Amino acid sequence: MKKPELLAPAGDLERLKMAVIYGADAVYLGGERFGLRAGAKNFNIEQLKQGLEFAHKRGKKVYVTLNIIPHNEDFKGLREYIKDLYNMEVDAVIVSDPGVFSIVKDAAPDFEIHLSTQANTTNYHTANYWYKQGVKRIVVARELSLNEIKEIIDKTPDDLEIEAFVHGAMCISYSGRCLLSNYMIFRDANRGECAHPCRWKYYIMEEKRPGEYFPVFEDERGTYIFNSKDLCMLKHIPELINAGISSFKIEGRMKSAYYVATVVRSYRMVIDKYLADPENYVYNDKWLDEIKKASHRDFTTGFYFGKPTSEDQVYGSSSYIRTYDFTGLILEYDKDSKIATVQQRNRMFVGDEIEIFGPNKKHFTQIIEDMWDENGERIEVAPHPQQIIKMKINQPVEPWDIIRKLRKE
């Protein structure tokens, strides 16, 4: 049984570190150009060097996206950028366009190349074609069933890796190749500037085809007909592993560090639990309950077990479900005094009940009894973003552990 890679998104340096610490085997990220997430903070060269050093020191890999669908002017500077990435020892680049692919092969012939889901690979013939061109890994289209993915794995060379999305937002367009954003507000989704109009509120009127109705549920607020539930395959990790998928990909370079830590942690626990003793493995809903403490929509299994139906869409709202706030990040802990140094992320009050969790450990709850500011003055509330405070925490904690609290209505 092959151990799959757990691959996490990294929208900036903090999220890269969070993903690595909370159990990701690899991260994928974008530079300041040539990727599909212009809205993420992304990495300049210096930040990328820091991220590579942090990940490689811990035995983790870093993949950089070059997956735009480029126009002629988009190639300016690409060759030099590819050489820079290769010389920095980036582990692989993710491409979708044959033109970009050809430049990578010419500029850095030994560079590992992963084929993006944007290339829409849906069959083993196409996978074999790209393998012969020198692609090391294929990120299959999200529109495939698990049986189709398994057939691709069975009918391609053993050293061709297959990566598949297991968690995150689902794009309404085919493997993310969308014209809607460009058409409506001139922001090209295929060049990194998607405005997510699929999440907007719509009314539909069909005046020339009476009697034909779209499967739309509508109230006085309109309807969100393109608004898919989020993909979540946490319950089906054994099936994915046994199918031979090489890499389990979590979507979300636009998501928060707290989201990355929470989701990666749950998938890490489930994967490790199953691989430790497959015959006696029993799924526990507590792992999914942990994921639900991060911002999310309702969940679906996407195309894995059949084509999505109306049950896989959210018709009433495009908003996320948020039940917990990320309120603090542990920086230091003194075991003798039980005093933690904390970087505040959302307001906390003395008397609040908080939960604290970290990688490879169960969460625990306690009441905030005392807090002090940087000057040692006792405070009742930590109101300032990223304020450094101290508080008493009764159980041992470590740097990068996270404090959260239940949101009040």
Side-chain angles (χ1 to χ4, degrees):
M1 186 181 297
K2 183 167 59 176
K3 182 179 180 179
E5 172 188 86
L6 181 58
L7 177 57
D12 59 20
L13 190 57
E14 182 187 47
R15 282 173 270 189
L16 180 150
K17 292 179 178 180
M18 199 73 85
V20 168
I21 288 166
Y22 276 78
D25 299 303
V27 298
Y28 64 100
L29 55 88
E32 294 178 315
R33 295 177 61 198
F34 310 115
L36 281 177
R37 290 293 179 270
K41 291 183 179 178
N42 293 323
F43 288 70
N44 61 34
I45 293 296
E46 186 56 40
Q47 291 166 338
L48 182 52
K49 288 178 180 177
Q50 292 178 44
L52 283 162
E53 181 181 6
F54 186 90
H56 287 169
K57 190 177 290 186
R58 291 159 178 80
K60 311 301 182 181
K61 294 184 176 182
V62 176
Y63 311 137
V64 174
T65 58
L66 303 176
N67 57 343
I68 61 168
I69 310 299
H71 292 232
N72 292 330
E73 64 268 23
D74 294 320
F75 286 93
K76 185 177 181 180
L78 176 60
R79 183 180 297 273
E80 294 74 21
Y81 183 58
I82 290 167
K83 290 179 179 179
D84 287 341
L85 298 180
Y86 181 76
N87 291 331
M88 283 189 285
E89 299 185 351
V90 167
D91 295 282
V93 287
I94 305 169
V95 307
S96 60
D97 177 75
V100 175
F101 174 85
S102 68
I103 294 174
V104 175
K105 293 297 288 183
D106 184 58
D110 296 327
F111 217 159
E112 184 170 310
I113 299 176
H114 298 176
L115 191 69
S116 170
T117 190
Q118 294 283 117
N120 313 131
T121 303
T122 57
N123 62 81
Y124 63 85
H125 292 289
T126 301
N128 281 319
Y129 168 82
W130 282 112
Y131 174 78
K132 291 175 183 177
Q133 308 312 308
V135 167
K136 171 69 174 176
R137 176 185 295 184
I138 290 177
V139 189
V140 293
R142 303 188 204 197
E143 293 77 18
L144 295 180
S145 69
L146 184 57
N147 286 335
E148 289 176 303
I149 295 173
K150 189 175 187 309
E151 186 174 7
I152 290 174
I153 293 168
D154 291 342
K155 294 182 177 179
T156 53
D158 290 341
D159 60 341
L160 176 63
E161 298 175 355
I162 298 299
E163 178 181 308
F165 282 92
V166 298
H167 194 92
M170 293 286 284
C171 183
I172 199 67
S173 293
Y174 199 84
S175 286
R177 298 190 68 162
C178 182
L179 300 176
L180 191 60
S181 178
N182 202 358
Y183 176 78
M184 297 185 76
I185 59 169
F186 309 106
R187 285 173 53 179
D188 192 342
N190 299 318
R191 299 167 82 184
E193 298 180 343
C194 184
H196 304 285
C198 55
R199 307 293 182 189
W200 296 353
K201 181 170 61 178
Y202 292 93
Y203 290 94
I204 284 190
M205 181 179 66
E206 175 52 73
E207 64 177 356
K208 295 182 179 179
R209 301 169 74 179
E212 285 191 39
Y213 299 100
F214 291 99
V216 173
F217 299 87
E218 186 173 314
D219 61 17
E220 67 277 3
R221 295 173 298 171
T223 183
Y224 301 83
I225 59 171
F226 306 125
N227 190 36
S228 172
K229 294 180 180 179
D230 283 353
L231 178 66
C232 180
M233 292 297 289
L234 192 72
K235 292 183 179 181
H236 303 284
I237 290 299
E239 294 103 304
L240 301 180
I241 291 176
N242 289 314
I245 297 171
S246 299
S247 180
F248 295 170
K249 189 170 196 171
I250 296 169
E251 181 275 338
R253 279 193 284 146
M254 304 286 286
K255 301 292 178 65
S256 68
Y258 170 64
Y259 174 93
V260 171
T262 304
V263 175
V264 167
R265 175 173 173 261
S266 282
Y267 276 89
R268 179 80 277 154
M269 289 191 291
V270 174
I271 291 169
D272 291 349
K273 187 74 171 178
Y274 176 70
L275 290 175
D277 189 1
E279 292 185 5
N280 296 306
Y281 170 82
V282 177
Y283 174 79
N284 191 319
D285 268 335
K286 68 182 181 182
W287 295 312
L288 183 61
D289 291 340
E290 284 296 298
I291 282 183
K292 289 180 177 178
K293 291 178 181 179
S295 176
H296 67 283
R297 300 181 182 91
D298 290 330
F299 292 126
T300 174
T301 56
F303 290 81
Y304 275 100
F305 303 112
K307 292 183 179 180
T309 68
S310 60
E311 295 301 313
D312 298 285
Q313 297 293 112
V314 182
Y315 294 107
S317 170
S318 64
S319 62
Y320 285 93
I321 301 167
R322 289 182 60 188
T323 55
Y324 279 78
D325 282 327
F326 173 25
T327 55
L329 182 68
I330 303 294
L331 302 179
E332 296 177 2
Y333 183 70
D334 183 89
K335 293 181 180 179
D336 295 328
S337 64
K338 296 185 177 180
I339 300 297
T341 304
V342 177
Q343 185 184 69
Q344 182 262 32
R345 294 303 178 93
N346 275 291
R347 280 157 56 100
M348 290 182 285
F349 295 81
V350 171
D352 280 345
E353 182 177 70
I354 55 173
E355 285 188 4
I356 303 172
F357 72 96
N360 303 313
K361 65 178 74 170
K362 293 182 179 179
H363 70 266
F364 65 91
T365 61
Q366 74 162 61
I367 303 296
I368 298 177
E369 300 171 4
D370 291 294
M371 289 193 297
W372 299 267
D373 64 18
E374 289 181 275
N375 299 318
E377 299 291 330
R378 193 180 298 272
I379 55 175
E380 293 296 316
V381 58
H384 305 302
Q386 300 196 336
Q387 179 181 5
I388 304 301
I389 62 171
K390 293 185 183 293
M391 68 169 62
K392 186 173 182 180
I393 295 182
N394 299 323
Q395 296 187 36
V397 291
E398 298 174 287
W400 294 96
D401 285 359
I402 285 174
I403 302 172
R404 65 189 173 203
K405 70 173 183 177
L406 190 65
R407 288 171 66 92
K408 296 180 180 179
E409 293 297 331

